[in-house]
């Protein structure tokens, strides 16, 4: 099992943070373009899912998977979006995504007076804690390289 | 006690507001000193009140060291939910209070990032210590320094009349 990469978006589509662990195939476009593409797709999925759903939804869009990877999606009422790509073996990881939001983003970015909101996060403490948290996950494995 | 987050956010706003209002950043040290002074005196006032309120069930302090211990234990627990990590003195009126993970800095970083900004976030607490001591009848000078976040030290110099 593997964690490929992680995106953090705010409600306006700004990419607050991006980290990458095991990614064999790069998009072949500049990172800024990739963030816009990613956000655009998530935005469309959100509206697609809400229109197509035959019933009122509680959580909305949760995840999708292809033949090779699975994309997990978590959105807070304030519009912060945590997006993680893993391989297919990983089950629902809502609590993990929520932990990244509540214990890392809120604690180290929102409560840090020197981190302006709505911009790429510069705090080294946040980056290093996030990295060590993801590396400690049971389904994070380096063997896939 | 009110939730800690409220105090932390209010403190953050006080710092931000005072720096935004600093008369002219080009003045350099002058403008900055003014803001530090305002923060320090707000802390002083809060410290005075806490000094009156906290030592409720204790006997009168016998000596200076007891009062400093009171700062490290009761005052720190009341403000930051933890005790200070170490207290040292040269027995000539200089005390050094070291906190290895100061709550107002703990969220900002570990190491050298943001080190330049740290003094702003220590001024209030300097005043707090000075105010509490002044209620207990001691005149002092309190300065703070940080060399690597989130650790910092407060130096209390007792002034004898």
């Amino acid at each position: 099992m593997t964690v490929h990469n992680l995106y953090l978006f705010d409600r306006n589509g700004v990419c607050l943070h991006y980290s990458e662990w095991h990614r064999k195939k790069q998009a072949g476009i500049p990172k800024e373009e990739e963030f816009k593409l990613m956000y655009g797709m998530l935005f469309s999925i959100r509206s697609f899912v809400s229109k197509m759903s035959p019933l009122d939804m509680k959580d909305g869009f949760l995840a999708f998977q292809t033949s090779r990877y699975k994309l997990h999606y978590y959105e807070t009422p304030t519009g912060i979006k945590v997006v993680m790509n893993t391989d297919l073996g990983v089950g629902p990881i809502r609590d993990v995504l929520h932990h990244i939001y509540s214990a890392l983003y809120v604690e180290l970015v929102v409560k840090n007076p020197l981190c302006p909101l709505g911009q790429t996060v510069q705090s080294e403490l946040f980056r290093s804690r996030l990295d060590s948290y993801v590396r400690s996950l049971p389904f994070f494995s380096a063997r896939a390289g | 006690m009110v939730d800690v987050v409220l105090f932390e956010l209010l403190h953050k706003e006080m710092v931000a507001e005072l720096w935004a209002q600093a008369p002219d950043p080009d003045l350099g040290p002058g403008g900055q000193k003014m803001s530090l002074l305002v923060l320090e005196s707000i802390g002083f006032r809060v410290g005075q009140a806490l000094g009156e309120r906290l030592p409720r069930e204790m006997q009168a302090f016998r000596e200076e060291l007891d009062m400093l211990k009171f700062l490290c234990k009761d005052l720190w627990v009341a403000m930051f939910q933890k005790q200070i990590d170490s207290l040292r003195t040269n027995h000539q009126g200089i005390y050094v209070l070291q906190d290895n993970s100061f709550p107002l800095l703990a969220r900002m970083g570990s190491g050298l990032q943001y080190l330049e900004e740290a003094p702003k976030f220590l001024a209030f607490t300097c005043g707090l210590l000075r105010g509490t001591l002044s209620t207990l009848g001691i005149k002092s000078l309190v300065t703070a320094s940080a060399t690597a976040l989130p650790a910092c030290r407060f130096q209390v110099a007792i002034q004898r009349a």
Side-chain angles (χ1 to χ4, degrees):
Chain A
M1 294 208 253
T2 323
V3 174
H4 298 300
N5 56 1
L6 177 98
Y7 302 82
L8 220 62
F9 290 102
D10 83 349
R11 64 181 311 131
N12 301 317
V14 177
C15 184
L16 299 173
H17 181 77
Y18 173 70
S19 22
E20 187 172 300
W21 291 275
H22 302 124
R23 184 171 178 177
K24 285 192 188 143
K25 187 173 165 295
Q26 292 293 337
I29 48 174
K31 276 278 174 289
E32 277 81 65
E33 296 295 315
E34 183 189 311
F35 296 155
K36 279 185 204 164
L37 208 57
M38 182 56 128
Y39 186 79
M41 182 203 61
L42 293 172
F43 190 84
S44 311
I45 288 185
R46 252 165 46 105
S47 75
F48 173 81
V49 164
S50 69
K51 289 197 183 82
M52 288 305 133
S53 170
L55 297 169
D56 276 345
M57 288 186 301
K58 214 170 113 242
D59 295 326
F61 169 50
L62 295 173
F64 72 68
Q65 64 180 56
T66 70
S67 57
R68 297 303 300 274
Y69 75 97
K70 181 169 178 184
L71 180 144
H72 305 262
Y73 178 83
Y74 173 75
E75 182 174 348
T76 69
T78 53
I80 302 290
K81 296 161 186 70
V82 187
V83 181
M84 186 187 264
N85 288 312
T86 65
D87 68 0
L88 298 176
V90 179
I93 47 165
R94 234 177 124 68
D95 50 338
V96 169
L97 300 184
H98 179 74
H99 183 272
I100 291 174
Y101 167 70
S102 69
L104 298 170
Y105 179 74
V106 172
E107 286 298 315
L108 301 173
V109 178
V110 177
K111 289 192 189 168
N112 180 349
L114 302 173
C115 273
L117 298 179
Q119 296 177 17
T120 308
V121 176
Q122 303 292 346
S123 165
E124 283 160 21
L125 186 64
F126 171 76
R127 288 166 191 229
S128 65
R129 289 270 188 88
L130 178 66
D131 188 64
S132 56
Y133 173 69
V134 173
R135 282 175 194 280
S136 75
L137 291 171
F139 48 85
F140 183 92
S141 153
R143 80 179 148 67
Chain B
M1 208 67 189
V2 190
D3 197 337
V4 200
V5 179
L6 294 182
F7 164 69
E8 279 181 22
L9 293 178
L10 178 62
H11 179 264
K12 159 183 160 174
E13 282 311 311
M14 288 197 305
V15 173
E17 186 63 16
L18 278 166
W19 253 261
Q21 277 189 352
D24 190 353
D26 298 334
L27 284 178
Q32 213 172 45
K33 259 189 198 136
M34 196 57 210
S35 309
L36 278 181
L37 212 67
V38 173
L39 262 181
E40 210 258 354
S41 53
I42 297 174
F44 183 82
R45 182 66 191 84
V46 174
Q48 274 187 320
L50 282 175
E52 293 286 2
R53 224 184 67 143
L54 286 178
R56 219 174 301 164
E57 284 149 25
M58 268 171 269
Q59 312 93 323
F61 296 109
R62 272 190 299 279
E63 37 180 322
E64 227 169 66
L65 193 60
D66 290 335
M67 298 189 201
L68 266 297
K69 281 185 187 160
F70 160 76
L71 295 185
C72 297
K73 294 185 179 154
D74 302 67
L75 178 69
W76 228 249
V77 169
M79 285 303 289
F80 303 117
Q81 290 70 44
K82 60 175 287 213
Q83 295 191 4
I84 217 152
D85 293 305
S86 83
L87 168 66
R88 276 176 291 162
T89 175
N90 67 352
H91 298 291
Q92 283 162 17
I94 307 272
Y95 296 86
V96 176
L97 289 70
Q98 165 107 18
D99 194 332
N100 294 327
S101 172
F102 185 55
L104 295 177
L105 299 179
R107 301 231 163 69
M108 282 161 46
S110 58
L112 301 178
Q113 194 190 20
Y114 299 130
L115 192 59
E116 291 166 16
E117 317 273 349
K120 302 181 201 177
F121 297 92
L122 299 175
F124 175 85
T125 313
C126 286
L128 190 81
L129 290 168
R130 200 164 66 84
T132 312
L133 283 175
S134 108
T135 313
L136 300 174
I138 294 187
K139 264 194 173 173
S140 60
L141 253 175
V142 181
T143 51
S145 59
T147 45
L149 300 180
C152 69
R153 56 175 56 185
F154 297 91
Q155 178 169 330
V156 180
I158 310 287
Q159 294 178 313
R160 305 194 200 279

